[in-house]
Amino acid sequence: LFASLIFINTGIRGQAISNVCLLTGYWLLMALMPVPGWGHGILDEHGNFSEFVDTLLLNGHTWKGTRTYDPEGIISTIPAIATVLFGIMCGHLLRSRQGAAEKTAWLFVAANFLLLAGQIMNYWLPINKKLWTSTYAVFMAGMAMNIFAICYWLVDVKGFKTWAKPFAIYGMNAITVFVLTGLLGRILNLVPAGAANGRPLVLTTWLARHLKAAFECLAGPLATPKNSSLLYALMYVALMYGVAWTMYRRKWFVRF
């Protein structure tokens, strides 16, 4: 919402200035605003200004990992707006009259400048995804822009499109798959599937345990808890790809 308002009402210069102001403003808030009982400048899990505001305004509705602050909370939304603006600036470059080679070169230059800037800024403000710090926004924008530049050069400039077809199939119904993934995950956590050690099991746990047991039979020493979790995740991704592929074949494209 806020990024779109900035885009609609300002030009490229105004968007760049807004980006700098957002990143700097978040930094100043986290560094200088005092938290009752803690002081200021704290960036630990507890005692930071973002946690204080989220607890005050979103009490009971925050991230389940902490119950206090949220990566999508009030203060952390400020640098998240900047993340969107980085994408808008990238879009301006793609729509410019420069040639494809020049666009690719500038994408790489901007990307690596952001990576360097993020690393330098990290000395004063740590790169932290859970707080969505300004340094995280800058560094990850650089990371994303590098990957995008590679894809742009391979797919749009060189015409190597076959390898990207699975990603395109996912992308044509990306929001549908995203929503379905969350919905299915919640349903699996609600469906009862027996009991173990006197405690009720939900379908997610039942599936994970049986998958782990089958994996141990087939893979032996490779069936570590991390690898079992990875296999479960890959099977989930494959299931969602099956949905996306079916929708693609039937030309079902859900638009929002």
Side-chain angles (χ1 to χ4, degrees):
L1 171 63
F2 291 108
S4 61
L5 289 173
I6 293 170
F7 171 70
I8 291 171
N9 293 287
T10 64
I12 296 177
R13 182 180 178 184
Q15 292 155 22
I17 293 173
S18 297
N19 210 342
V20 172
C21 291
L22 288 164
L23 295 171
T24 305
Y26 171 90
W27 195 332
L28 293 174
L29 286 173
M30 295 296 287
L32 302 178
M33 290 298 291
V35 177
W38 292 90
H40 60 82
I42 296 174
L43 297 172
D44 294 331
E45 180 178 351
H46 299 295
N48 62 77
F49 183 67
S50 180
E51 178 197 40
F52 170 69
V53 174
D54 287 347
T55 302
L56 194 65
L57 301 179
L58 302 175
N59 191 21
H61 300 278
T62 46
W63 188 45
K64 65 181 181 180
T66 63
R67 301 292 182 189
T68 53
Y69 69 88
D70 197 304
E72 291 84 33
I74 305 297
I75 300 301
S76 53
T77 295
I78 296 173
I81 298 169
T83 294
V84 181
L85 290 176
F86 278 124
I88 289 173
M89 301 302 291
C90 185
H92 285 308
L93 175 60
L94 289 176
R95 297 182 65 184
S96 69
R97 295 181 180 179
Q98 298 184 71
E102 288 80 6
K103 291 178 183 178
T104 306
W106 278 113
L107 283 171
F108 279 120
V109 168
N112 288 289
F113 172 79
L114 291 172
L115 287 178
L116 177 62
Q119 286 286 19
I120 294 173
M121 293 163 62
N122 180 60
Y123 182 79
W124 294 281
L125 180 67
I127 297 172
N128 187 318
K129 190 268 179 187
K130 292 181 180 179
L131 291 175
W132 210 281
T133 54
S134 300
T135 45
Y136 174 80
V138 170
F139 185 82
M140 292 310 298
M143 186 83 71
M145 202 174 293
N146 262 321
I147 296 173
F148 179 79
I150 293 171
C151 293
Y152 173 73
W153 178 252
L154 290 175
V155 177
D156 292 277
V157 179
K158 291 299 184 181
F160 300 139
K161 299 182 178 181
T162 304
W163 67 274
K165 188 64 175 290
F167 301 103
I169 291 173
Y170 249 131
M172 288 181 180
N173 277 301
I175 300 299
T176 302
V177 172
F178 176 78
V179 172
L180 183 61
T181 299
L183 183 62
L184 181 59
R186 284 163 175 77
I187 292 174
L188 291 177
N189 281 323
L190 293 174
V191 177
N197 300 322
R199 296 182 177 180
L201 287 179
V202 294
L203 191 53
T204 300
T205 307
W206 185 89
L207 287 171
R209 289 188 177 185
H210 282 73
L211 177 63
K212 184 176 182 295
F215 191 32
E216 287 174 347
C217 292
L218 295 173
L222 294 176
T224 63
K226 286 185 178 181
N227 287 339
S228 298
S229 178
L230 174 61
L231 179 60
Y232 184 88
L234 290 175
M235 291 180 65
Y236 205 93
V237 169
L239 174 64
M240 290 299 107
Y241 181 77
V243 173
W245 181 82
T246 302
M247 295 180 70
Y248 174 80
R249 288 295 301 270
R250 293 179 177 271
K251 299 188 185 302
W252 295 345
F253 304 111
V254 180
R255 312 208 181 268
F256 294 86

